[in-house]
Every structure is written in structure tokens, then in C-alpha cells.
């Protein structure tokens, strides 16, 4: 028997970026409005439920400053008067669509003008989704004693807003929780520039990252790349990334850095040499600091491509400058954040 | 010796045997299937019975307006996915979902329209069941009542089967059910006019409820053909039931005459609940709503603790002792088929698997693999910690006992003797060997034994030869 699978969907509902996405500009030849996006999304969600009766679904919305659960197939309110049975529609689809649309409408109504500036709470939604998966995996394994516990969980992030460097550490922590739970994170960038952090999230959890070129064919993208459960993906050529941006954000200014300085004790990342590590309070010799400062490249703004650049560690304890463009770099940073 | 591996990897998982209904659908004509695909609910249910890769293929094509070249699609599967992909295409072609073609791929237009409609909703087909107007006098039963009803009906049937040979007299299921059991060869009438379970009936008992249900329903569909019922109507009604919501009542007015006639039968099997035979609404039970899913079709067994059906209750030790935590008479009766029961407690049965008990089961036509798979399916959660799940000694011994029985194999055929000369004998034998029908030969006695299907040829050959000689 093929196993049921769980899909957690994190939908970016940032009003500012949806406005940008729906307006036709020189760079945005095929505008996609939130409304048509949602109709594509609902069909995709229905397809997931259609594939198997036991498939479960949870949808989370990312709003300015907060995150909300839009729908969960496990906590279904059956006695809802709005969901009167209809002879022409499969009832679970109807309940799903109605609930998602209603919750989105409720929350979007409540948005005020002040909310436009606040960045979306992506991390909150991602964390809630992981907690939700954790709950269903633990309860289902307790219930069935491991025999049907393989629900093959995965998360799909539909993002329109750019990275916020402030959320680097929490995102990395979420990635590591996902790895621990064996959750695959798929990322679909519907609008906007490539997201460094989400690329890493997809790469580190074995998911796929897709930047949509033609927004009008969104449904076909979603169906072909994100509908197959991880179980059968080895049979299919699902899109993978050939280029991944592994840059990390520094712990001091939350800036994405090309070259960082890593504390040799706790592996915290800094954009400039510091006398005392802010995480573990290790003091570095003044000599090392001077040497590192002298060796820093003249340009302070990070440039995109840099050749591998590893400074040989002189003496310990010192802060070793490394190119934070390697897997090690980002993992080290996240391990640090986990404490 | 193969042992049952529960934690099969995903690749073999996706190669699980296709659903029993699909084989039936494949035997139907293209026109019948196209008629079936007119209903969105039927499309959705058939879609769910397919394997994951087949479902994904359909999904890929569902929203495309034009056909796509074969080469484009095959670029989408990886090297190791090639074989499953080809298998999927041929299955879908046999179901007439993706017409067979060497150059282009596209969904059957009817199927595409209906599945799109099923997923997006809307339309006016009413194929997901018209909900009944609330009837204040007879409110629809709650889920617990429905479950109890379905379980009672289903266990009555099984219990009747299992105890038919033992001289007990449990409640009889209705006449139609008995007829169906007889027609499907699960039970047969003995000389005294009493129904007696057959060997395939014993095998039936060891299947899981889902398979049992479909086996009976398929038999029902075969009978429907003979009863001049419209097969497509019957089939689409079953598939419609599987998409209905448990605990809701649906109106009977929109059903076709065939489907109205089916209500009585389905009530007998416990698939639907009706206030009385003339009621204008019906409620599907869990047996019906889980037809196309793999969740357990029966609720927890009565009298036993929660979840005994899906959790299992059997503990088997290496010393052939078996403990079954159940007080369900049906489960005990089934165990009694191949276990020597020693003691019974309020919630526990103790027994042992012995040579005699297994031989008895084998004589009834049950195979060793069926016993092992039954024990695996209903193993107690504590047993699931073992690897392999069942003690290897016991598994092997059960299989050895089966081999013991199979020492002598019989085969029908003809013995050719009294050849006039050695040359004649060798000439005919050569011919028979070419046909690959020789089962045994003895050159010194100039005779050989050929299988039944080769007889006509050999006989003709000999006749021709004698005619040539004369």
C-alpha cells in the first residue's frame, strides 16, 4: 500500500508584495493577483486531498507581524452551517476551500495601514507548521505503534516577499528541526528575487526550490513539482537547484555576508572582527584582531561572487575568518543558533 | 524463504498489487468506461484506486489543453523510474484513461472534464449525492449507531460462514446474502440443503475486511450483469457512496431505478442504513465511505477495547504458543481454523499452532501464506517490536507442513504405450518433446506420459504417420 502523506503549506500573504506582484511593470510582464493565485492554490490543495483519502493538510498564512492557521484537516469543524452539503462538490473540498477563503478574508479585513510596513512572520508560520507535524507524527505513532506512522510529512512554502536578514537564525533553527523530524521543505518563489535562506532550507532538507517564471502557469508548476510525495520523487525528475547561495547572516548586524569571522569556540558568525564573542563571551587576543582587521578586504559591501578564500588560523583562541560560502558555514551558524 | 517485510522501501511500495476493482474495470468495454467517467465522483474514486505514479501522471496532464509529445513526458522520469512509468502508462491505457498512442499523450476527454469538475467543484451532475431534507421524525443516525449497524451486519455474514461447518446456529443473514455467498463459491449447498463453507470461503475469512468487501461487491456486480441491471449505474453508485460523508443522510429521489433496486442489497451487506425499506433517504456507513481508501472499513470491534481491529491482538511465541487478546466470537472462530485452542478467559484466548491444527486448515484449502499473513496483519502492537515480526521457526514450520502435504502432485494426461518399434517410439517422443508436453518417459518400456493439452496433437501425429505407412 502506498502511504498517506501530510502536506503543510505556508502561504505568504504580505499585502505589499502581493500588490507589487499584481501590478504590471517592466520587470513583471505577467502579473499575478492574490485572487488568481488563491484559485490556483485551492485547486492544488484539492488535488493533494484527491490523491488519497488519508492525506492530511494544514495551511498557514503569513501576515504582517503574525502568522495564522488557515485550515487543518485534522481539526475539522463538521457542524459548520456555512458548509451545507452540495450535491455537485466533494464535501472535503468544499469545507477546505470555504474555510481557507473565510479565514483569509477575516484576517485581511483586519489589516490596518500601519501593517503595511511590518514584515511578514514567515518564521512563525514555519514553526507552527513544524509543531503541527510533530504533533501528528507523535500521536499517530503512539496510536498505531509505529506501523502506520510513516505519514511522509512535507512543507511547501509559497513566498513572495524578500529575505529578512533578521530572521536568519530562527530560519536555520527551523531547518534543523525539520531535518530532525525528517520533513522535506519545498519552496516555491512566486514573485520577487531569489531567496537565500529559503534556497538553503530546500537544499538542506532535500526539497526542491522553484522560482516561477510564468506566473500564469502556476498550477502546472505546483502539480508537477510539489504534488508528488517524497516517496515517489526518486522516480521523477523533480526540479533541483544547480546553484545554491550558501551565504549566512552575521549575528551582530543580521547582514548577509560574503566573508564572515567565526568564533573558534562557539562558531558564531560576525561581519567584522570582534574583541569578545557576543554569544560565548570568549575574549580574543588583541594581536589577532589587528591582524584580521588588516587583512579585511577594502570593500565593506559584500560582492556577489568571490573565490574560495580561507584564512589560515594563526593562533588559538582567535577568530578565524572563513568564507561563509560553504555548507559548513551555514550549518555552523545554525548549530550555534540552536542553543 | 521469504519473510514478510512490513517496512518495505517506497519503491516496492509503489509497486503494490493493483486494486481488485481495476482488473474488473479493465475487462469492461470502452463505451461502458466512458459512460462511467461521465460522473465526477466515479472519476475521483477510480483515480484514488490507482498507484501513486499513475495518479501523478494524470495530474500532470489534467490541466493541459493540448496533447504533449511522448518524448517530453518520458524525459520527466528518471532512469530507475522508467519501468514503473511504462507500467503505469499501460495500466492507464487499459482503463482508457490515457488512450494508447506512440507519439502523443492526452487524457480521455470525458475523464478530464469530469475529474476537473470533481476537483474544482461545481457543475450540475449531482454525482456526490443529493443531501436529504432534514426529517424531524427520523433524524439520521449518529456515527456510533452507523458503525454498530455496519459491524453487526458484516460480522453476521462472516460469523455465519465460519460456523457453518461446526454445527452451531448463529443468526442467518438474509436470503440475498446467502445467495451471493453461494454464487461466489464461498459457500456451497451440501446434500441436506445446508450451506457449507468451501475452501475459498476459508481463504476469504483470512483476508482483511477491505478485500473481503470488494470481493463480495465484485461478485455482486457480476450478478448485476446477469440480472439485467445496468452495470455502469451500479458501479457508479458504489463509487458515489465512497465519496459520501459519514453521518449525513442522502435523498433517494435522484437515484436511477437500478440504483434504487440496489439499496435493498446494500442494506443487507451493511453498506447503507435506512430507517425502513421505503424510506426516502439513506445514510452510508463506514463500510461504504471507506471503499476507495485504505483506512479500516470497520470500526473497533464490539466488546473489545479500543482499536483492536487496526491494532491487532495476536501474540505468537517461538514455542508455537499463541495468545489472542480478544473476546470477539468471530475472531476466535477464525483462529480456531488453524489453532488448537487450549484456554479461554474473558479477554484472552490461549492456544497453540500444532501440526494437526495446521493440517486441518490446509485440508480446508487454506494456504500457509494465508495463515502467516493473517498472523502478521493482526499481530499485537508488542509483536511489532520484533524483527522479523513472527518467529522464523514458526513461519518455516508452517510452510514445511504445507510442503508435506504437497509431496504428491497430480496431473491429468494420457499414457502412450505399445509402440510397434523403438524407432516409432522415438519419433513420436521427439515430436511430443518439441511440443513440451512430455511429463514422464520410459524408453525401456517404450511408453511416455503426455499432458492433456498435447493429446490432440500427438494423436493426430500418430494417425497421420500410420496413414503414411499404410
Amino acid at each position: 500500500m502506498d502511504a498517506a502523506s501530510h502536506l503543510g503549506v505556508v502561504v505568504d500573504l504580505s499585502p505589499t508584495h502581493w500588490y507589487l506582484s499584481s501590478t504590471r511593470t517592466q520587470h513583471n510582464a505577467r502579473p499575478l493577483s492574490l485572487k488568481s493565485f488563491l484559485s490556483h492554490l485551492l485547486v492544488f490543495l484539492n488535488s493533494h486531498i484527491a490523491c488519497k483519502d488519508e492525506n492530511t493538510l494544514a495551511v498557514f498564512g503569513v501576515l504582517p507581524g503574525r502568522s495564522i492557521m488557515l485550515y487543518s484537516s485534522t481539526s475539522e469543524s463538521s457542524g459548520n452551517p456555512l458548509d451545507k452539503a452540495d450535491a455537485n462538490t466533494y464535501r472535503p473540498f468544499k469545507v477546505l476551500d470555504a474555510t481557507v477563503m473565510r479565514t483569509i478574508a477575516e484576517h485581511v479585513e483586519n489589516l490596518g495601514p500601519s501593517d503595511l510596513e511590518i514584515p511578514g512572520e514567515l518564521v512563525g508560520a514555519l514553526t507552527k507548521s513544524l509543531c503541527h507535524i510533530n504533533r501528528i507524527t507523535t500521536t499517530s505513532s503512539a496510536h498505531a505503534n509505529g506501523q502506520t506512522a510513516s505519514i511522509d510529512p512535507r512543507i511547501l512554502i509559497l513566498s513572495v516577499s524578500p529575505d529578512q536578514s533578521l530572521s536568519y537564525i530562527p530560519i536555520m533553527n527551523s531547518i534543523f528541526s525539520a531535518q530532525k523530524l525528517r520533513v522535506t521543505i519545498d519552496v516555491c518563489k512566486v514573485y520577487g528575487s531569489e531567496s537565500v535562506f529559503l534556497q538553503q532550507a530546500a537544499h538542506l532538507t532535500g526539497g526542491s526550490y522553484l522560482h516561477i517564471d510564468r506566473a500564469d502557469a502556476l498550477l502546472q508548476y505546483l502539480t508537477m513539482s510539489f504534488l508528488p510525495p517524497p516517496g515517489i520523487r526518486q522516480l521523477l525528475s523533480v526540479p533541483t537547484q544547480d546553484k545554491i547561495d550558501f551565504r549566512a547572516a552575521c549575528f551582530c548586524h543580521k547582514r548577509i555576508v560574503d566573508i564572515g569571522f567565526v568564533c573558534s569556540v562557539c562558531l558564531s558568525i560576525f561581519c567584522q572582527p570582534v574583541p569578545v564573542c557576543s554569544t560565548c563571551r570568549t575574549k580574543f587576543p588583541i594581536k589577532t584582531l589587528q591582524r584580521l582587521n588588516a587583512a579585511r578586504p577594502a570593500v565593506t559591501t559584500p560582492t556577489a561572487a568571490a573565490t574560495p578564500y580561507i584564512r589560515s588560523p594563526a593562533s588559538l583562541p582567535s577568530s578565524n575568518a572563513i568564507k561563509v560560502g560553504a555548507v559548513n558555514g551555514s550549518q555552523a551558524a545554525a548549530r550555534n543558533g540552536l542553543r | 524463504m521469504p519473510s514478510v517485510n512490513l517496512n518495505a522501501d517506497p519503491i516496492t511500495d509503489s509497486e503494490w498489487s493493483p486494486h481488485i476493482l481495476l482488473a474488473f474495470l479493465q475487462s469492461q468495454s470502452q463505451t461502458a468506461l466512458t459512460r462511467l467517467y461521465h460522473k465526477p465522483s466515479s472519476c475521483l474514486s477510480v483515480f484514488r484506486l490507482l498507484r501513486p505514479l499513475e495518479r501523478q501522471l494524470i495530474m500532470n496532464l489534467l490541466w493541459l489543453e493540448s496533447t504533449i509529445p511522448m518524448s517530453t513526458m518520458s524525459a520527466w522520469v528518471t532512469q530507475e523510474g522508467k519501468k514503473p512509468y511504462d507500467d503505469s502508462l499501460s495500466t492507464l491505457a487499459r482503463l482508457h484513461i490515457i488512450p494508447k498512442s506512440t507519439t502523443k499523450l492526452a487524457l480521455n476527454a470525458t475523464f478530464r472534464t469530469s475529474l476537473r469538475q470533481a476537483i474544482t467543484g461545481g457543475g450540475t451532475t449531482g454525482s456526490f449525492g443529493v443531501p436529504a431534507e432534514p426529517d424531524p421524525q427520523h433524524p439520521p443516525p449518529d456515527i456510533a449507531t452507523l458503525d454498530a449497524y455496519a459491524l453487526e451486519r458484516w460480522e453476521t455474514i462472516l460469523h455465519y460462514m465460519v460456523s457453518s461447518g461446526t454445527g452451531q446456529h448463529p443468526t442467518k443473514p438474509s436470503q440475498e446474502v446467502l445467495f451471493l455467498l453461494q454464487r461466489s463459491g464461498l459457500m456451497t449447498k451440501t446434500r441436506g440443503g445446508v450451506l457449507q463453507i468451501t475452501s475459498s470461503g476459508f481463504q476469504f475469512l483470512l483476508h482483511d475486511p477491505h478485500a473481503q468487501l470488494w470481493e463480495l461487491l465484485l461478485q455482486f456486480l457480476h450478478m448485476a450483469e446477469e440480472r439485467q441491471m445496468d452495470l455502469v449505474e451500479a458501479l457508479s453508485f458504489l463509487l458515489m457512496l465512497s465519496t459520501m460523508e459519514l453521518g449525513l443522510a442522502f435523498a433517494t429521489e435522484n437515484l436511477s431505478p437500478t440504483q434504487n433496486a440496489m439499496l435493498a442489497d446494500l442494506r443487507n451487506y451493511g453498506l447503507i442504513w435506512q430507517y425502513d425499506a421505503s424510506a426516502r433517504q439513506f445514510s452510508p456507513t463506514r463500510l461504504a465511505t471507506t471503499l476507495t481508501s485504505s483506512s479500516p472499513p470497520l470500526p473497533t470491534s464490539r466488546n473489545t477495547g479500543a482499536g483492536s481491529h487496526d491494532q491487532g491482538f495476536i501474540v505468537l511465541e517461538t514455542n508455537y504458543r499463541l495468545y489472542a487478546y480478544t473476546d470477539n466470537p468471530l475472531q476466535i472462530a477464525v483462529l480456531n481454523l488453524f489453532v488448537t485452542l487450549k484456554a479461554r478467559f474473558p479477554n484472552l484466548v490461549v492456544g497453540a499452532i500444532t501440526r494437526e491444527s495446521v493440517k486441518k486448515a490446509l485440508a480446508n484449502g487454506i494456504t500457509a501464506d494465508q495463515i502467516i499473513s493473517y498472523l502478521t496483519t493482526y499481530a499485537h502492537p508488542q509483536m511489532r517490536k520484533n524483527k522479523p515480526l513472527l518467529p522464523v521457526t514458526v513461519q518455516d514450520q508452517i510452510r514445511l507442513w504445507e510442503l508435506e502435504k504437497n509431496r504428491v502432485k497430480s496431473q491429468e494426461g494420457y499414457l502412450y504405450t505399445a509402440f510397434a518399434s523403438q524407432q516409432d517410439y522415438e519419433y513420436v517422443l521427439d515430436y511430443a518433446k518439441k511440443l513440451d508436453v512430455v511429463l514422464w518417459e520410459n524408453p525401456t518400456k517404450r511408453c511416455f506420459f503426455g499432458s492433456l493439452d498435447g493429446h490432440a496433437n500427438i494423436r493426430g501425429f500418430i494417425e497421420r504417420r500410420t496413414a503414411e505407412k499404410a
Side-chain angles (χ1 to χ4, degrees):
Chain A
M1 281 290 187
D2 50 341
S5 68
H6 173 83
L7 175 67
V9 181
V10 175
V11 193
D12 192 345
L13 294 173
S14 154
T16 325
H17 295 98
W18 273 114
Y19 173 73
L20 290 175
S21 162
S22 60
T23 42
R24 184 184 291 271
T25 60
Q26 209 175 1
H27 304 289
N28 194 21
R30 288 192 177 82
L32 177 74
S33 67
L34 180 59
K35 200 169 167 219
S36 51
F37 164 75
L38 285 177
S39 61
H40 284 265
L41 177 67
L42 286 182
V43 170
F44 171 72
L45 297 181
N46 284 351
S47 314
H48 172 72
I49 297 290
C51 279
K52 209 154 165 49
D53 192 32
E54 296 84 7
N55 277 357
T56 49
L57 183 70
V59 188
F60 298 86
V62 179
L63 282 166
R66 67 210 150 97
S67 58
I68 40 162
M69 182 185 243
L70 299 173
Y71 173 81
S72 157
S73 53
T74 42
S75 61
E76 188 191 317
S77 53
S78 50
N80 203 318
L82 273 171
D83 310 325
K84 197 182 175 313
D86 170 5
N88 299 316
T89 316
Y90 185 43
R91 222 181 99 83
F93 294 168
K94 198 176 161 62
V95 175
L96 160 72
D97 298 357
T99 320
V100 170
M101 290 311 278
R102 198 177 56 234
T103 1
I104 290 183
E106 273 170 20
H107 286 87
V108 172
E109 294 279 298
N110 295 337
L111 287 178
S114 59
D115 287 325
L116 296 181
E117 300 304 315
I118 308 171
E121 190 59 47
L122 173 68
V123 176
L126 187 57
T127 319
K128 276 184 189 169
S129 181
L130 284 169
C131 290
H132 187 259
I133 287 173
N134 184 45
R135 193 174 66 205
I136 41 179
T137 39
T138 47
T139 50
S140 77
S141 59
H143 178 70
N145 258 302
Q147 54 169 326
T148 52
S150 59
I151 56 155
D152 233 3
R154 65 190 200 273
I155 293 179
L156 169 63
I157 303 177
L158 294 151
S159 154
V160 287
S161 9
D163 278 329
Q164 303 144 38
S165 41
L166 265 180
S167 58
Y168 174 69
I169 298 169
I171 284 192
M172 270 300 161
N173 285 339
S174 314
I175 294 174
F176 281 93
S177 321
Q179 283 184 327
K180 228 175 188 174
L181 284 170
R182 293 194 196 161
V183 175
T184 312
I185 298 183
D186 292 321
V187 179
C188 180
K189 192 82 186 149
V190 182
Y191 169 79
S193 53
E194 303 281 353
S195 158
V196 178
F197 300 159
L198 294 182
Q199 273 186 354
Q200 296 184 17
H203 175 79
L204 292 174
T205 55
S208 50
Y209 175 95
L210 194 64
H211 188 280
I212 303 281
D213 303 319
R214 291 193 47 160
D216 48 345
L218 177 66
L219 179 60
Q220 194 64 28
Y221 278 111
L222 290 177
T223 312
M224 287 197 73
S225 324
F226 302 117
L227 189 63
I232 64 163
R233 284 196 191 177
Q234 46 190 301
L235 304 179
L236 313 171
S237 320
V238 279
T240 47
Q241 299 138 280
D242 41 355
K243 223 168 51 189
I244 303 147
D245 197 338
F246 278 122
R247 281 179 300 163
C250 68
F251 286 22
C252 44
H253 305 90
K254 318 289 182 204
R255 276 204 299 258
I256 299 181
V257 289
D258 274 349
I259 294 173
F261 296 84
V262 179
C263 166
S264 53
V265 177
C266 70
L267 302 176
S268 301
I269 303 166
F270 302 99
C271 56
Q272 60 197 32
V274 285
V276 178
C277 170
S278 61
T279 312
C280 65
R281 305 269 162 234
T282 307
K283 292 187 181 108
F284 302 113
I286 201 81
K287 256 190 172 167
T288 322
L289 275 179
Q290 283 168 348
R291 205 166 35 76
L292 286 174
N293 265 322
R296 280 177 75 188
V299 207
T300 38
T301 44
T303 47
T307 45
Y309 179 73
I310 298 172
R311 310 224 109 221
S312 55
S315 60
L316 287 173
S318 71
S319 89
N320 304 331
I322 60 154
K323 162 125 176 31
V324 196
V327 191
N328 291 347
S330 48
Q331 276 179 340
R335 212 179 310 138
N336 213 304
L338 274 174
R339 337 187 133 186
Chain B
M1 205 161 279
S3 61
V4 183
N5 184 8
L6 265 184
N7 306 318
D9 59 300
I11 291 198
T12 46
D13 260 4
S14 60
E15 282 168 7
W16 60 283
S17 59
H19 196 274
I20 181 168
L21 178 68
L22 292 179
F24 178 77
L25 288 178
Q26 285 172 6
S27 68
Q28 298 301 310
S29 71
Q30 183 170 359
T31 20
L33 285 179
T34 309
R35 265 185 69 209
L36 183 68
Y37 295 153
H38 271 294
K39 296 252 189 234
S41 59
S42 311
C43 286
L44 182 65
S45 304
V46 171
F47 174 71
R48 282 190 167 173
L49 294 176
L50 296 169
R51 285 179 286 189
L53 188 61
E54 290 153 3
R55 292 199 299 255
Q56 185 60 38
L57 265 172
I58 293 179
M59 273 306 183
N60 283 351
L61 295 172
L62 183 62
W63 305 103
L64 297 175
E65 289 300 334
S66 53
T67 58
I68 75 164
M70 199 78 171
S71 52
T72 312
M73 196 50 128
S74 48
W76 169 76
V77 291
T78 56
Q79 202 61 44
E80 61 256 49
K82 194 85 190 87
K83 199 184 164 292
Y85 169 76
D86 289 339
D87 289 350
S88 303
L89 274 188
S90 69
T91 310
L92 292 175
R94 266 176 282 146
L95 287 169
H96 300 288
I97 293 176
I98 297 181
K100 212 177 181 68
S101 156
T102 45
T103 49
K104 283 182 182 135
L105 281 180
L107 284 184
N108 175 334
T110 320
F111 186 87
R112 187 178 65 195
T113 320
S114 300
L115 189 59
R116 278 185 186 181
Q117 207 170 69
I119 288 179
T120 53
T124 50
T125 48
S127 73
F128 290 97
V130 179
E133 289 302 315
D135 184 352
Q137 273 187 310
H138 312 297
D142 56 358
I143 293 176
T145 322
L146 284 176
D147 279 349
Y149 170 80
L151 191 69
E152 188 258 327
R153 276 298 154 108
W154 192 245
E155 292 207 335
T156 306
I157 298 178
L158 295 186
H159 203 221
Y160 178 77
M161 286 177 70
V162 77
S163 48
S164 63
T166 58
Q168 296 173 18
H169 297 287
T171 355
K172 256 193 179 181
S174 72
Q175 211 54 47
E176 293 86 359
V177 175
L178 293 184
F179 182 67
L180 184 72
L181 289 176
Q182 212 178 325
R183 274 303 306 273
S184 52
L186 298 176
M187 297 188 91
T188 178
K189 250 196 184 108
T190 54
R191 240 166 290 156
V194 189
L195 279 177
Q196 179 90 33
I197 188 164
T198 62
S199 76
S200 57
F202 279 117
Q203 299 183 6
F204 175 82
L205 287 173
L206 297 186
H207 292 163
D208 62 279
H210 195 77
Q212 290 173 341
L213 190 57
W214 271 111
E215 219 171 308
L216 277 190
L217 286 178
L218 276 189
Q219 197 59 45
F220 175 79
L221 291 172
H222 280 301
M223 263 169 49
E225 275 177 296
E226 288 163 30
R227 277 158 59 180
Q228 307 294 319
M229 283 162 78
D230 188 340
L231 186 68
V232 175
E233 295 269 350
L235 201 49
S236 71
F237 186 49
L238 287 181
L239 296 177
M240 176 168 100
L241 281 177
S242 74
T243 62
M244 283 178 170
E245 177 93 3
L246 186 65
L248 292 186
F250 295 88
T252 58
E253 279 110 29
N254 302 58
L255 300 179
S256 70
T258 308
Q259 296 174 340
N260 259 314
M262 281 171 73
L263 286 175
D265 290 304
L266 297 181
R267 213 170 43 229
N268 284 323
Y269 309 148
L271 263 74
I272 57 172
W273 182 93
Q274 271 186 309
Y275 171 70
D276 60 31
S278 60
R280 297 231 306 278
Q281 47 176 273
F282 66 94
S283 314
T285 67
R286 203 181 289 274
L287 280 175
T289 55
T290 54
L291 273 176
T292 53
S293 79
S294 53
S295 48
L298 285 172
T300 54
S301 207
R302 90 194 117 170
N303 307 335
T304 44
S308 75
H309 246 288
D310 40 315
Q311 283 213 357
F313 54 93
I314 297 173
V315 176
L316 180 64
E317 292 181 342
T318 44
N319 57 7
Y320 300 87
R321 270 186 171 260
L322 182 141
Y323 304 90
Y325 289 91
T326 179
D327 60 350
N328 182 317
L330 174 65
Q331 287 170 343
I332 296 172
V334 170
L335 278 179
N336 199 21
L337 294 176
F338 58 90
V339 177
T340 313
L341 298 180
K342 295 244 168 73
R344 268 184 86 157
F345 301 99
N347 67 339
L348 173 72
V349 185
V350 181
I353 293 183
T354 61
R355 185 162 178 270
E356 282 67 40
S357 71
V358 173
K359 290 236 126 174
K360 189 181 77 188
L362 294 171
N364 280 331
I366 301 173
T367 67
D369 280 328
Q370 282 168 335
I371 296 178
I372 292 169
S373 84
Y374 182 85
L375 290 173
T376 314
T377 319
Y378 292 100
H380 195 275
Q382 290 291 333
M383 291 276 289
R384 306 222 170 255
K385 290 177 189 155
N386 303 346
K387 228 175 182 111
L389 193 126
L390 299 179
V392 182
T393 46
V394 183
Q395 280 190 47
D396 287 357
Q397 188 58 65
I398 294 178
R399 288 209 171 89
L400 286 175
W401 280 327
E402 187 185 39
L403 288 180
E404 237 174 70
K405 181 174 157 266
N406 294 341
R407 263 187 304 207
V408 178
K409 203 166 91 181
S410 71
Q411 203 152 10
E412 248 179 294
Y414 287 89
L415 182 67
Y416 304 89
T417 55
F419 287 95
S421 65
Q422 185 70 22
Q423 196 191 0
D424 272 0
Y425 168 72
E426 275 165 12
Y427 195 64
V428 177
L429 185 64
D430 255 13
Y431 175 76
K433 273 184 178 162
K434 268 182 213 152
L435 292 178
D436 199 22
V437 292
V438 180
L439 296 170
W440 172 85
E441 56 180 301
N442 190 342
T444 47
K445 288 186 179 162
R446 278 191 203 158
C447 61
F448 73 89
F449 194 78
S451 70
L452 202 56
D453 33 304
H455 179 62
N457 282 334
I458 295 174
R459 194 175 153 171
F461 183 77
I462 295 173
E463 271 167 8
R464 254 177 289 141
R465 191 165 159 77
T466 38
E468 270 170 36
K469 274 191 170 175

